[in-house]
């Protein structure tokens, strides 16, 4: 069905853009295309070449070959990755809603539209957005998650009602339509963005309060002594979630990073000091479980 639909969809795009003397190109992606550094670099070059020629890329997930392990989840997630990949200056998200509601409209029917979101990271998205929409896989929750990722890059987001006539022209003319999401003042490195969002975390590392404080306040690396529990089975170099150990099953997420150890080895050395780690694993070990250069705190996952 996707293979049939792609032809028809691109025919419509080609017909409409040709009325403005613009050419379009189709790019279909899977998670592997942005996960692999070499393929991502080639992909970035393809986008640059198309844009330099004035060609408008139409990007979608390659549903004909995607399996669950390679899926982006929704086009909002895919778009946020492209913001980083092409070095975009602005991220516009067209939606069926008039903008971002100040509260969940299913619970507060008269909730107004936010003209501007100053701090997207500070929003309680679960309370504001509720569940996903009945159309597609996203909804406002995923759109604000994508906007939060863009904000980390220093890129603003404009969420617009895509079904309204001339909405893009009106927005660029200065009309107060939809919702602006302001970027963060200090952008994270694009490399950290890539490592944090190019794939889903393969497991979780639970840390104690002391380690959490060092990560949050001092910009420290995660050491074996601060690890209290390892969830899941992952290999060395995998992306893992870092969370503060909580009571029962409630764990506060801190960020994501690349683990220098497999889950099996990490279980052997968690809670130990450096000389104790050496006694178990030998001299060929890393001082850090996750180096701070490979760690993104407050990741939007």
């Amino acid at each position: 069905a996707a293979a049939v639909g792609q032809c028809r969809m691109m025919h419509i795009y080609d017909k409409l853009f040709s009325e403005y003397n613009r050419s379009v190109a189709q790019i279909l992606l899977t998670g592997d295309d942005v996960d692999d550094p070499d393929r991502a670099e080639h992909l970035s070059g393809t986008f640059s070449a198309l844009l330099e020629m004035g060609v408008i890329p139409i990007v979608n997930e390659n549903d004909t070959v995607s399996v669950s392990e390679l899926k982006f989840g929704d086009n909002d997630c895919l778009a946020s990755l492209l913001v980083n990949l092409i070095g975009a200056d602005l991220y516009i998200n067209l939606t069926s809603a008039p903008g971002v509601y100040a509260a969940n409209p299913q619970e507060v029917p008269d909730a107004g539209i936010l003209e501007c979101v100053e701090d997207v990271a500070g929003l309680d998205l679960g309370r504001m957005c509720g569940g996903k929409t009945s159309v597609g896989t996203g909804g406002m929750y995923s759109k604000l998650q994508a906007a939060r990722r863009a904000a980390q890059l220093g890129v603003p987001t404009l969420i617009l009602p895509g079904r309204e006539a001339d909405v893009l022209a009106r927005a660029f003319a200065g009309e107060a339509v939809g919702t602006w999401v302001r970027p963060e003042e200090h952008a994270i490195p694009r490399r950290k963005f890539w490592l944090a969002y190019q794939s889903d975390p393969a497991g979780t590392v639970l840390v104690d309060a002391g380690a959490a404080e060092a990560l949050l306040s001092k910009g420290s690396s995660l050491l074996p002594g601060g690890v209290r529990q390892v969830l899941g089975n992952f290999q060395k170099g995998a992306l893992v979630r870092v969370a503060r150990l909580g009571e029962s099953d409630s764990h506060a997420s801190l960020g994501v990073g690349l683990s220098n150890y497999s889950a099996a080895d990490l279980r052997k050395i968690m809670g130990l000091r450096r000389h104790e780690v050496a006694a178990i694993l030998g001299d060929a070990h890393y001082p850090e479980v996750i180096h701070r250069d490979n760690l993104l705190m407050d990741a939007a996952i």
Side-chain angles (χ1 to χ4, degrees), residues 266-289:
L266 189 50
R267 290 188 177 98
K268 297 176 184 177
I269 63 172
M270 61 183 186
L272 301 182
R273 298 179 179 178
R274 186 169 183 176
H275 70 276
E276 295 173 316
V277 172
I280 293 176
L281 299 181
D283 292 333
H285 69 275
Y286 292 90
E288 311 89 1
V289 174

Side-chain angles (χ1 to χ4, degrees), residues 20 25 62 67 147 196 217 234 252 268 274:
Y20 298 89
N62 193 348
V67 292
S217 302
F234 49 86
K268 297 176 184 177
R274 186 169 183 176

